Amino acid sequence: MNLDRFAYGLRDPQSYPTVAECAQCGCELYRNSKAIRYEGDLFCDRDCLAEYLLAITDYEEVIL
């Protein structure tokens, strides 16, 4: 029996059960991992949230 607390390392995050999916890209979100919640939807990071907001918002690009 090895009593060294660093001998085993941390568990692989993908060994945790999948809790949800990102609303934009569909990647798996695992228990004990960070996510962003916006109006009840979960996103894996700020970039996916930004893409989602651009997709659902009416906007136009203009030249000034």
Side-chain angles (χ1 to χ4, degrees):
M1 173 185 240
N2 190 347
L3 298 178
D4 181 10
R5 66 182 180 156
F6 299 109
Y8 301 105
L10 298 173
R11 282 181 53 186
D12 181 20
Q14 293 183 355
S15 68
Y16 293 113
T18 301
V19 177
E21 287 186 352
C22 175
Q24 176 63 25
C25 70
C27 76
E28 297 176 336
L29 302 174
Y30 302 102
R31 184 176 308 278
N32 296 325
S33 64
K34 290 183 179 181
I36 297 174
R37 179 178 292 147
Y38 176 75
E39 294 185 350
D41 293 327
L42 292 172
F43 299 90
C44 59
D45 58 20
R46 292 179 185 166
D47 294 332
C48 277
L49 175 58
E51 289 178 22
Y52 174 79
L53 292 174
L54 286 172
I56 65 168
T57 305
D58 291 332
Y59 68 94
E60 64 182 50
E61 295 181 18
V62 296
I63 298 175
L64 300 176

